[in-house]
Amino acid sequence: MGIPFKLIEPFATVLGMGAYFILKLFVSTTALEKNIKPTPRLEPLSQADNKTPKALDDATPQALGLDCEMVGVGRGGSESQLARVTLVRAVTATPTKQEDFEVVYDAIVKPVKKVSDYRTKYSGINKEILREGLPGVPLISFEEAKKQVGGLILGEIVVGHALINDFNVLHLRHPRVLTRDTALYPPFMSSQGKKKNRRMMQRKLKYIVEEELGGWRIQTGGAGHCSAEDAAGALGCYLKRRVEWEKSVGRAGVGEGGSPSSSATNKPYDLVLDGSNMPIGIHRGDGGEIKVRNRVVDDDDQGNKKAKPVPGQTKYAHVDYLPCLKELMKKDVRKVELFWDGSGLKEWKEFDKDGEKRDLGGIALRVTKIGIEADDVIVEEMKTEESQYKYEELENVTVEECIESLSDPADFSWFIVKRTSGGSKCHKKLFSKLNLRRPSEGACCFVPLNEGSRKYSLGLCRRLKHDKVVKQRLVEIKRVCGAKCWPKRIVVTDDVLLAERIVQRGGCVIGGRAFVEVV
């Protein structure tokens, strides 16, 4: 039972007003932790339904709302840890109230580390809930929650508010092309500052929901936030703006009467991935199917990153790139090829030592003969007629011209950046992003393939301008006219020598980070 505030008021004159308010805040938080026991505000489905969600009608929007509640661990509770996770979906085409949603998945997660701050005022979680759970909501381990949520969101559009925090505590990654964050959607944000220095600021979810969904109010009362309610609110805001939102990210035809976005290139190209020189790997899933995922570098006992993964114990991130690549093939990508060195896949006995080409649902997996590098095969297959330009004949442009061109969605010019000389330590991080770690080695292309790659390239250009890299003649930028020389084949690699060879042959190359923006 909490201590009445009037009992601590006499201490104000002794402790001072600052200490008095701190003590008052502590007493109110302690009372919440002991007395408040929030209950879910949406009726959860059974555990069987959590594993196999019911199918919806074709007219019902296919998207999932995600929200997580967190508690604090470590010194002062500064580190966030998952305490509750909820997935919801809409049962009507135009949801505007709480009854228009149903819970697909809801679970209380047992703490992995000792909890030092329950954050009850915001999370609605206290000690009793983490020990006993809630009525109708199962209490499970973190690994179970991670695996089940990862399986449910695989290949689905995930909607939420500040989703980066949710994915971080879940230890999951989700493709950017399938992520919709109401905290980062410009129409939901507010602008502050004068015209020249105006900044876009994130707003609280409860204000966005109240404006977008006709006065529906969430996060009311003193029992803390409800993950089911917050997930439903974010999903409802997305569904109301779904057509224009999908157009803004270059996904034409999603929603009613969608037309191709002005930011999409509508120019076909082939995509070639050099898997041997990217942080990705192939492995088999639980059902025996081949998956392409990011390799994960584990921490050692002291919490430091290991330099290399242990052979035979390589771990992979949740994201499978194959569905993402198939999604790209529905738009501008004509063909996708994944190259791996045969010497790097010796443990895969099923692959022929003389090389093999295998079809993965429309995507070609090509494993080279042992002793032959995939780099040489990629360069060799670049036919002479595909060389659309000669690098020496291209015009040099300023970084301002590059920014102006990339800012115009109707301009399809693309640019080649090469490092010409050294630089100071302050440029090291930028050159690492550009994959130009040494002078006269490698190349980086800024290609507006879609809205994501355009924004990523534009951000790097602005960084080049800010750091005065072009002005100091540390790099050179050359323009390629997209109307005449749009790349027929785009190679994705982090190998600087291969990138240099591709550009010299008149091709186009992007790094692994830029590829993530495309996907």
Side-chain angles (χ1 to χ4, degrees), residues 141-171:
S141 67
F142 173 77
E143 290 300 327
E144 287 180 291
K146 177 182 176 181
K147 183 177 181 180
Q148 293 172 6
V149 172
L152 286 170
I153 68 174
L154 187 62
E156 301 289 346
I157 293 177
V158 176
V159 185
H161 194 75
L163 279 171
I164 186 172
N165 300 322
D166 300 321
F167 288 135
N168 282 343
V169 295
L170 282 165
H171 294 183

Side-chain angles (χ1 to χ4, degrees), residues 71-238:
V71 294
V73 298
R75 187 173 183 178
S78 58
E79 181 184 348
S80 295
Q81 180 177 259
L82 181 64
R84 183 179 180 180
V85 55
T86 307
L87 287 169
V88 304
R89 63 181 173 186
V91 294
T92 61
T94 55
T96 56
K97 56 185 182 298
Q98 198 167 309
E99 291 73 20
D100 295 335
F101 300 90
E102 68 177 357
V103 175
V104 175
Y105 182 88
D106 194 10
I108 302 295
V109 182
K110 298 176 184 177
V112 179
K113 300 180 181 178
K114 184 178 180 180
V115 179
S116 53
D117 184 1
Y118 288 93
R119 305 177 185 176
T120 309
K121 183 178 178 181
Y122 303 102
S123 67
I125 301 295
N126 57 32
K127 187 175 182 179
E128 287 73 18
I129 292 176
L130 287 183
R131 185 174 63 241
E132 303 172 4
L134 287 171
V137 182
L139 180 65
I140 62 176
S141 67
F142 173 77
E143 290 300 327
E144 287 180 291
K146 177 182 176 181
K147 183 177 181 180
Q148 293 172 6
V149 172
L152 286 170
I153 68 174
L154 187 62
E156 301 289 346
I157 293 177
V158 176
V159 185
H161 194 75
L163 279 171
I164 186 172
N165 300 322
D166 300 321
F167 288 135
N168 282 343
V169 295
L170 282 165
H171 294 183
L172 293 176
R173 297 180 65 186
H174 199 62
R176 185 185 294 265
V177 71
L178 297 176
T179 303
R180 304 291 180 267
D181 197 331
T182 54
L184 302 177
Y185 184 49
F188 293 162
M189 302 174 75
S190 62
S191 59
Q192 296 183 2
K194 297 181 179 179
K195 188 173 182 180
K196 292 184 179 179
N197 299 317
R198 185 166 294 174
R199 297 178 58 191
M200 300 298 290
M201 307 294 292
Q202 298 181 14
R203 298 170 62 210
K204 291 185 177 180
L205 176 62
K206 68 176 184 179
Y207 299 136
I208 300 174
V209 171
E210 189 172 354
E211 290 179 6
E212 295 292 322
L213 302 180
W216 177 24
R217 302 185 63 188
I218 64 173
Q219 300 177 1
T220 57
H225 296 185
C226 174
S227 55
E229 187 181 57
D230 291 351
L235 181 57
C237 293
Y238 160 74

Side-chain angles (χ1 to χ4, degrees), residues 35 39 65 88 116 203 221-223 243 257 287 313 368 408 413 416 466 469:
N35 298 327
T39 56
V88 304
S116 53
R203 298 170 62 210
V243 176
Q313 300 180 12
T368 63
D408 184 6
S413 298
I416 303 173
H466 178 269
V469 173

Side-chain angles (χ1 to χ4, degrees), residues 268-271 325 328-336:
Y269 58 91
D270 297 341
L271 196 61
L325 293 171
L328 287 177
M329 294 181 68
K330 297 178 182 179
K331 296 184 285 187
D332 301 330
V333 179
R334 294 174 303 199
K335 182 175 63 174
V336 178

Side-chain angles (χ1 to χ4, degrees), residues 198-380:
R198 185 166 294 174
R199 297 178 58 191
M200 300 298 290
M201 307 294 292
Q202 298 181 14
R203 298 170 62 210
K204 291 185 177 180
L205 176 62
K206 68 176 184 179
Y207 299 136
I208 300 174
V209 171
E210 189 172 354
E211 290 179 6
E212 295 292 322
L213 302 180
W216 177 24
R217 302 185 63 188
I218 64 173
Q219 300 177 1
T220 57
H225 296 185
C226 174
S227 55
E229 187 181 57
D230 291 351
L235 181 57
C237 293
Y238 160 74
L239 294 176
K240 182 178 179 181
R241 299 251 191 168
R242 189 180 198 192
V243 176
E244 57 188 273
W245 195 329
E246 295 300 328
K247 287 181 180 179
S248 69
V249 295
R251 285 170 60 89
V254 179
E256 299 177 350
S259 59
S261 170
S262 59
S263 64
T265 61
N266 296 317
K267 294 177 179 291
Y269 58 91
D270 297 341
L271 196 61
V272 178
L273 274 68
D274 179 19
S276 300
N277 293 298
M278 290 177 62
I280 60 176
I282 58 176
H283 73 114
R284 290 208 175 276
D286 297 335
E289 70 281 4
I290 293 180
K291 294 181 178 292
V292 179
R293 294 180 174 176
N294 276 29
R295 291 193 295 268
V296 177
V297 180
D298 290 334
D299 296 340
D300 57 20
D301 297 334
Q302 287 74 37
N304 301 316
K305 295 290 183 182
K306 294 179 180 178
K308 293 182 180 180
V310 180
Q313 300 180 12
T314 305
K315 294 186 178 181
Y316 297 90
H318 167 69
V319 177
D320 183 9
Y321 283 115
L322 288 181
C324 304
L325 293 171
K326 292 176 182 178
E327 183 75 17
L328 287 177
M329 294 181 68
K330 297 178 182 179
K331 296 184 285 187
D332 301 330
V333 179
R334 294 174 303 199
K335 182 175 63 174
V336 178
E337 292 182 304
L338 305 175
F339 279 85
W340 261 276
D341 291 339
S343 56
L345 297 177
K346 290 181 179 179
E347 66 272 13
W348 288 67
K349 298 180 180 180
E350 60 188 274
F351 288 124
D352 194 343
K353 294 183 179 180
D354 295 330
E356 184 175 343
K357 182 176 181 180
R358 183 175 299 187
D359 179 68
L360 302 178
I363 297 174
L365 172 62
R366 300 185 60 179
V367 181
T368 63
K369 183 179 179 181
I370 294 180
I372 298 179
E373 294 186 358
D375 304 13
D376 297 331
V377 178
I378 293 173
V379 174
E380 186 179 329

Side-chain angles (χ1 to χ4, degrees), residues 350-459:
E350 60 188 274
F351 288 124
D352 194 343
K353 294 183 179 180
D354 295 330
E356 184 175 343
K357 182 176 181 180
R358 183 175 299 187
D359 179 68
L360 302 178
I363 297 174
L365 172 62
R366 300 185 60 179
V367 181
T368 63
K369 183 179 179 181
I370 294 180
I372 298 179
E373 294 186 358
D375 304 13
D376 297 331
V377 178
I378 293 173
V379 174
E380 186 179 329
E381 292 190 356
M382 290 188 64
K383 300 178 182 178
T384 306
E385 57 266 26
E386 287 186 358
S387 301
Q388 302 171 348
Y389 63 87
K390 292 184 178 180
Y391 182 79
E392 296 76 12
E393 299 177 358
L394 297 177
E395 62 168 333
N396 285 3
V397 296
T398 63
V399 68
E400 290 80 10
E401 292 175 317
C402 183
I403 292 174
E404 181 181 0
S405 176
L406 290 172
S407 301
D408 184 6
D411 190 342
F412 297 117
S413 298
W414 53 287
F415 303 86
I416 303 173
V417 183
K418 295 189 69 175
R419 186 174 178 181
T420 55
S421 59
S424 61
K425 290 183 178 179
C426 64
H427 300 130
K428 184 176 180 180
K429 189 174 181 180
L430 175 59
F431 285 138
S432 177
K433 285 186 177 181
L434 294 169
N435 204 26
L436 303 174
R437 294 177 176 82
R438 299 186 187 89
S440 304
E441 282 189 11
C444 173
C445 295
F446 295 159
V447 194
L449 299 174
N450 57 16
E451 189 65 19
S453 63
R454 184 186 292 276
K455 289 181 178 179
Y456 180 76
S457 300
L458 192 57

